[in-house]
Amino acid sequence: MKKSSFVLWKVGILILALVEASSATLSPTGINYEVVALVAIKNSLYDPHNVLESWDINSVDPCSWRMVTCSPDGYVSALGLPSQSLSGTLSPWIGNLTNLQSVLLQNNAISGSIPATVGKLEKLQTLDLSNNTLTGGIPDSLGNLRNLNYLRLNNNSLTGPCPESLSTVEGLTLVDLSFNNLSGSLPKISARTFKIIGNPLLCGPKTAGNCSASFPEPLSFPPDALEAQSGSVGKRHRVAIIAGASFGATFIILLLLVLIVWWRYRHNQQIFFDVNEQYDPEVCLGHLRRYTFKELRGATDHFNSKNILGRGGFGIVYKGILNDGTVVAVKRLKDYNTAGGEIQFQTEVEMISLAVHRNLLRLCGFCSTENERLLVYPYMSNGSVASRLREKTDVFGFGILLLELITGQKALDFGRQAKQKGVMLDWVKKLHQEGKLNLMVDKDLKGNFDRIELEEMVQVALLCTQFNPSYRPKMSEVLKMLEGDGLAEKWEASQKVETPRIRSCEHPPQRYSDFIEESSLVVEAMELSGPR
């Protein structure tokens, strides 16, 4: 074979391999079946905020769509649409996305039943359909999800029994079926956390604990035919049966009493966490203090309105003084008894207590009673972050961050070398005016960048760092500009704005650093943006 023919043969083989790889998700008619499935899901939902606007049936590749994540080999691996005000139903076409590993559709208003085709998603690890209005039964096909770790179906209107097939899924970590209308007997599910509270037909009002405990099997009494036996053997047998039944009944009553006492003890100790530090060594809540409600009520002068520091979506924050003189901030949650309020409380205690850093506000402790949920933080006397910002310094800081990402240098370090603040901005503006933006790009990129995108990013950064805060765009406008909407118009308008003059000078300064020397406003903006 001639050398040229051999080269052409190798090129042909390579092209064929690329075509086969790119058409892995295509049907024989050239249609991407994952695109078809996603569009079917979109069509069955009502999307009031148009978050699914980018889902186009004419698209070949869904990996660029919003709320869709793909694996490195180009298959749809995650579908994340939580808290998007979606309604409608969940299409059975979801079963065609066979490479899905995560489905997050919680906190919407999706109705109808759970499609049985979900059981075809053999790679699925997380399924969260909680806080919707789903009805019907839990499909038996969920037992086919051998890789499933987390299953949340709580806060819906599901009916019927909990499928026995779930007991065959061995890798479950969390199963939450609480606050539905399930009935029937419970299978033995091997999940570390199994929640079924709020199902009246499973958990009656007289049931102790959280209904997830395993209670002993009822004793099996002998058939009536045994009573027909005569003689001394029959009498002794009946005596043994009666004694055994009495002993068994006494044992069950004592066991129930022990469970009730144990549950009340745990309740009084305010242990409610899903994660137990005994089984997860990375979680340690030992530094948190459990306050009594009486102690916090006294510290805040009975939650006096004069001690209110602020109000939030989940509660009111009060200033308080403990018995030892420590000044604290006490957050009293409202609507704690709703699913969202209780989840918010547990999330703050479990997650914020783990975020220990010198620059983060640390959680001191909490209080949990039958009617109250409270969180205790250190008192910060200097007010809120918003009170320290001067209504667009965050936009300024974002502009500085963009320049640091482009140049690979820290703005403050850049200024220290010249012993003058604002030098980076002078340098960037000079290179931009001279058309030499390539000189500012991080050397680690080795020239591998898009020049048009570089120009756009520099323009966004310069718009965010304009001297006059009122000329800077809002962060919502910055987001639109980063998506390619309105940047050209904003940039053109900024070039028509006259550079402000300093009263003590006859001529306007030529360097941005001169503005900074004269303006404490921009100095604060630089420093509030913080070290990177």
Side-chain angles (χ1 to χ4, degrees), residues 409-421:
Q409 303 183 56
K410 293 184 178 181
L412 295 181
D413 292 344
F414 197 98
R416 290 192 187 103
Q417 296 174 3
K419 297 182 179 180
Q420 193 173 23
K421 295 180 180 179

Side-chain angles (χ1 to χ4, degrees), residues 47-275:
D47 178 17
H49 302 308
N50 292 324
V51 295
L52 306 180
E53 186 177 8
S54 61
W55 293 24
D56 184 6
I57 187 62
N58 298 315
S59 176
V60 178
D61 181 16
C63 296
S64 60
W65 295 0
R66 293 184 64 188
M67 313 296 183
V68 174
T69 302
C70 289
S71 60
D73 51 358
Y75 292 101
V76 175
S77 61
L79 191 61
L81 292 163
S83 306
Q84 299 297 327
S85 302
L86 298 175
S87 58
T89 60
L90 182 57
S91 172
W93 279 81
I94 192 173
N96 287 3
L97 300 175
T98 53
N99 290 279
L100 276 177
Q101 299 177 24
S102 176
V103 175
L104 303 176
L105 297 173
Q106 68 270 27
N107 301 320
N108 285 293
I110 300 175
S111 58
S113 59
I114 301 174
T117 54
V118 172
K120 296 167 59 178
L121 307 178
E122 296 181 354
K123 298 181 180 180
L124 196 64
Q125 300 176 13
T126 300
L127 177 61
D128 193 341
L129 303 177
S130 60
N131 290 286
N132 281 285
T133 58
L134 295 171
T135 55
I138 301 176
D140 290 334
S141 60
L142 295 188
N144 300 328
L145 306 179
R146 300 303 180 187
N147 294 304
L148 193 63
N149 290 325
Y150 299 94
L151 175 62
R152 288 185 179 272
L153 303 178
N154 52 288
N155 296 88
N156 281 287
S157 298
L158 299 173
T159 56
C162 177
E164 185 70 31
S165 60
L166 283 178
S167 62
T168 64
V169 182
E170 298 179 353
L172 286 170
T173 300
L174 170 66
V175 175
D176 192 348
L177 307 179
S178 55
F179 298 101
N180 281 288
N181 295 312
L182 301 178
S183 58
S185 59
L186 287 175
K188 295 182 179 179
I189 296 179
S190 60
R192 187 171 72 177
T193 302
F194 182 27
K195 297 183 178 181
I196 57 169
I197 62 172
N199 286 276
L201 299 180
L202 287 178
C203 310
K206 297 183 180 180
T207 305
N210 60 0
C211 303
S212 62
S214 297
F215 294 98
E217 297 281 347
L219 292 177
S220 299
F221 292 94
D224 294 336
L226 292 177
E227 297 180 0
Q229 296 181 356
S230 59
S232 59
V233 175
K235 293 180 181 179
R236 288 195 298 270
H237 188 60
R238 286 196 296 271
V239 170
I241 291 173
I242 295 172
S246 302
F247 176 78
T250 303
F251 176 77
I252 291 176
I253 294 173
L254 289 175
L255 181 61
L256 289 176
L257 289 175
V258 169
L259 289 174
I260 292 173
V261 172
W262 174 83
W263 176 80
R264 290 181 63 86
Y265 172 77
R266 296 277 292 181
H267 181 73
N268 292 335
Q269 289 295 310
Q270 303 174 350
I271 296 178
F272 53 86
F273 302 111
D274 293 339
V275 183

Side-chain angles (χ1 to χ4, degrees), residues 327-348:
V327 183
V328 295
V330 181
K331 184 176 182 180
R332 187 182 192 186
L333 274 69
K334 62 181 180 181
D335 299 330
Y336 73 90
N337 53 347
T338 64
E342 185 65 20
I343 291 174
Q344 168 71 10
F345 177 68
Q346 293 192 22
T347 299
E348 289 205 38

Side-chain angles (χ1 to χ4, degrees), residues 18 31 42 214 446 510:
L18 291 174
I31 300 176
K42 172 185 176 181
S214 297
K446 299 179 180 179
Q510 299 302 314

Side-chain angles (χ1 to χ4, degrees), residues 314-331:
F314 284 95
I316 302 175
V317 181
Y318 298 85
K319 179 181 179 181
I321 302 178
L322 300 177
N323 293 333
D324 60 1
T326 303
V327 183
V328 295
V330 181
K331 184 176 182 180

